[in-house]
Amino acid sequence: MKRRDHYYVSRKHPLVWLAALSALCAAVGYIANVTCGKGAGVSGAMVWLRVVLPVLAAVYFVYQVLVHGEERVYRAASSYWMLMLSFVAATFTLGLAWYWVVLLVLADLILAYLFGRVISGTLLQDWALIPLAGIPLAGIVWACNETLHAGFSWQGWLAFLPDCLLLLAFVLLTFALKKHPADGAYHPTWGDRPDGRRVRSLSPISSVGVYIMPERNQANNMFKGSIEVTELERYIRKKKLAGYEGFGITDVFLAAYVRTIAKYPAGNRFISGQRIFARDDDIQFCMTIKKDMTVEAPDTIIKLHLKPSDTMEDVYQKFHAAVAEVKNTSELDSEFDGVAKLLGMIPGIVLKFVVWLLKLLDYFGLLPRFLLEVSPFHGSVFFTSMGSLGIPAIYHHLYNFGNLPVFCAFGCKRREKELDSSGQPVDRKYIDYSFTLDERTCDGFYYATAFKHFRRLLQHPEQLEQAPDEIIHDIP
């Protein structure tokens, strides 16, 4: 990626609140113009283009500036685009010659494009936003004079006041903008999602592959491994004697996976909307748990946020705290169960539409963050313990809904008779584990190298008690 400036605004800055107030007043003004009859010529389809669209622009501006201004202030350009499209619609009502209409339409679109480039830091400096908001303001004054050629009229000027207030909000925002220090930290930009940043430096084959295999279940790779558990069992007994209640194989597997991501970060990528994204330092772990190991006992899903720097101690504390939080309730439930219960109350035909709409929003990265947080279909890896059920590891399919790219299962212990170094038969215990992977996120050689490292960590789990010497970050 080319270097760019990263702008932000702070809610502590008074101009930010003044800009938000100006935008809200503009929204009220657009509505008042229609209800009070001041919006001359606004009827039918033009109500949507000259009232609804700018109202949405004003409200969206306030939301982005106050809620996401510290990281995603560039999204305010979407409000500017909506306002410019509203001006384009207004151009056709002025009764101008066709060549003036074409010139004004082109000017509005060019201004919107430039505004988006400037506020995202890829063109000029932030001061350039002032003329980008000032030029349309001058155009409004000119249009007002042309419209009110019969003489001065407060009613006529009030019809144009909301546009002036919204443009003023953009000017005030310019003076509130600050630049993130050039410390090498990544800041979101166009094309990123709330749960990941787009990986932009991949080879062409990787970019095309997601269109050839658009569904996750079309791109499944399955991998199976096993590990001799003598050292692992000894380590688990040692941790339990040290007071780690409930410590088990799941803790070791999870800590080993986290440490693997620290060295091989491409394992923490995912695909949404035919684009490849990286979660970077956010490893989202999902798992189904039961309150009691009975057929009748309900189950639910927990989600943890882990980091590549987490040690065995960190993973143990976070994992068991999440399990205890759910199991200590009168009913085994989580936030996901509440959402699922709500969806279950919707009639089937309507629910089908709701799910389609959720998929559409997810495709464009527009799902609200709270839904991404509770969804078990959005995450880095899903673990399932077949050992607790007394059966071998299965190959679990990936879900086409959401973006979860890895499913790991590990089974019960099994015994094998083998010959030791002296040729004598000995009993050894093994645990099998399986991975179902989305092959589109990285190549087979990368996966193979990562899982060799994962297996070495399982054989020497004491390494996981220390923080990693180095954390490797994914490519830009």
Side-chain angles (χ1 to χ4, degrees):
M1 281 180 58
K2 295 180 180 178
R3 184 185 176 278
R4 64 184 180 88
D5 294 320
H6 309 280
Y7 298 116
Y8 74 99
V9 292
S10 172
R11 284 194 293 268
K12 297 179 181 179
H13 200 299
L15 286 180
V16 172
W17 290 96
L18 196 58
L21 178 61
S22 181
L24 285 177
C25 290
V28 173
Y30 286 119
I31 297 171
N33 277 345
V34 173
T35 56
C36 299
K38 295 171 185 173
V42 179
S43 61
M46 291 302 294
V47 172
W48 287 94
L49 294 170
R50 284 297 294 140
V51 179
V52 176
L53 193 61
V55 166
L56 288 176
V59 173
Y60 189 73
F61 174 88
V62 174
Y63 171 73
Q64 290 300 336
V65 169
L66 295 184
V67 178
H68 299 296
E70 294 189 352
E71 277 295 342
R72 293 179 169 84
V73 70
Y74 61 89
R75 287 183 177 175
S78 299
S79 294
Y80 192 87
W81 265 101
M82 285 187 268
L83 182 61
M84 290 299 106
L85 291 176
S86 175
F87 288 170
V88 167
T91 302
F92 292 95
T93 66
L94 298 177
L96 302 173
W98 67 269
Y99 49 85
W100 279 112
V101 172
V102 172
L103 285 174
L104 288 174
V105 168
L106 285 176
D108 288 336
L109 296 179
I110 290 171
L111 287 172
Y113 170 77
L114 292 175
F115 191 95
R117 290 288 305 275
V118 172
I119 201 170
S120 59
T122 57
L123 183 69
L124 302 176
Q125 294 293 317
D126 55 341
W127 55 262
L129 297 176
I130 298 175
L132 290 175
I135 292 172
L137 192 58
I140 289 174
V141 174
W142 172 80
C144 187
N145 286 328
E146 288 294 314
T147 304
L148 304 175
H149 50 77
F152 178 82
S153 166
W154 277 110
Q155 186 176 12
W157 274 98
L158 287 174
F160 292 90
L161 182 60
D163 293 325
C164 297
L165 287 173
L166 190 49
L167 287 168
L168 176 62
F170 288 108
V171 173
L172 292 171
L173 177 68
T174 303
F175 289 106
L177 284 179
K178 296 181 180 179
K179 193 181 297 186
H180 278 294
D183 54 2
Y186 184 82
H187 299 281
T189 186
W190 298 109
D192 292 338
R193 289 170 51 96
D195 51 348
R197 64 166 178 85
R198 186 177 171 188
V199 182
R200 294 174 170 83
S201 56
L202 293 168
S203 63
I205 186 79
S206 299
S207 302
V208 173
V210 294
Y211 287 92
I212 296 173
M213 296 176 289
E215 299 290 343
R216 198 162 285 104
N217 262 322
Q218 294 175 324
N220 281 0
N221 271 348
M222 298 179 180
F223 170 82
K224 185 174 182 180
S226 62
I227 181 172
E228 205 278 322
V229 296
T230 301
E231 289 299 321
L232 190 55
E233 286 184 324
R234 186 179 293 119
Y235 179 76
I236 291 172
R237 286 195 299 270
K238 175 182 153 187
K239 299 298 285 184
K240 286 182 175 179
L241 289 173
Y244 288 77
E245 184 180 350
F247 189 88
I249 290 173
T250 302
D251 298 271
V252 182
F253 265 74
L254 181 52
Y257 189 84
V258 168
R259 188 60 52 85
T260 301
I261 296 299
K263 190 169 184 178
Y264 299 97
N268 202 25
R269 293 176 187 167
F270 66 92
I271 293 174
S272 281
Q274 268 74 63
R275 297 288 187 271
I276 300 177
F277 298 85
R279 294 190 192 276
D280 289 330
D281 291 342
D282 185 21
I283 304 172
Q284 298 183 13
F285 160 74
C286 303
M287 188 174 188
T288 301
I289 61 172
K290 294 177 74 74
K291 192 162 190 174
D292 300 302
M293 298 308 295
T294 62
V295 175
E296 297 81 11
D299 55 17
T300 191
I301 297 171
I302 61 171
K303 178 182 280 191
L304 295 182
H305 289 271
L306 304 170
K307 294 186 176 298
S309 58
D310 284 347
T311 63
M312 179 70 78
E313 171 77 18
D314 299 323
V315 171
Y316 170 82
Q317 295 294 344
K318 292 179 181 180
F319 174 54
H320 287 270
V323 172
E325 182 182 354
V326 173
K327 285 196 171 185
N328 288 339
T329 57
S330 56
E331 294 183 1
L332 186 64
D333 55 10
S334 63
E335 293 179 344
F336 168 70
D337 294 300
V339 175
K341 189 180 296 185
L342 183 63
L343 292 174
M345 297 169 63
I346 301 174
I349 189 67
V350 179
L351 180 58
K352 197 165 186 176
F353 169 76
V354 170
V355 172
W356 173 84
L357 180 61
L358 290 174
K359 286 182 176 180
L360 180 67
L361 292 174
D362 192 30
Y363 185 93
F364 292 104
L366 299 176
L367 269 186
R369 189 180 290 273
F370 81 91
L371 283 180
L372 293 173
E373 181 59 33
V374 302
S375 169
F377 309 106
H378 296 80
S380 301
V381 60
F382 204 115
F383 268 36
T384 181
S385 172
M386 300 291 100
S388 60
L389 306 179
I391 61 175
I394 64 167
Y395 291 108
H396 197 291
H397 65 90
L398 298 178
Y399 302 104
N400 284 332
F401 180 78
N403 56 38
L404 198 134
V406 179
F407 214 111
C408 172
F410 47 96
C412 59
K413 296 172 188 174
R414 60 177 175 83
R415 293 181 180 271
E416 278 197 11
K417 271 223 188 286
E418 296 181 349
L419 299 179
D420 63 15
S421 57
S422 61
Q424 298 299 313
V426 292
D427 279 332
R428 290 204 171 102
K429 284 188 286 186
Y430 286 85
I431 287 180
D432 296 322
Y433 55 89
S434 64
F435 281 90
T436 305
L437 312 161
D438 187 341
E439 70 158 329
R440 300 170 299 172
T441 57
C442 55
D443 61 68
F445 182 83
Y446 194 99
Y447 269 136
T449 308
F451 284 123
K452 288 176 185 176
H453 184 67
F454 176 74
R455 191 172 188 277
R456 285 193 295 269
L457 291 170
L458 291 177
Q459 291 171 327
H460 304 284
E462 63 281 352
Q463 300 177 49
L464 302 171
E465 297 190 357
Q466 303 299 322
D469 297 329
E470 180 187 15
I471 296 176
I472 299 175
H473 298 283
D474 207 349
I475 59 177

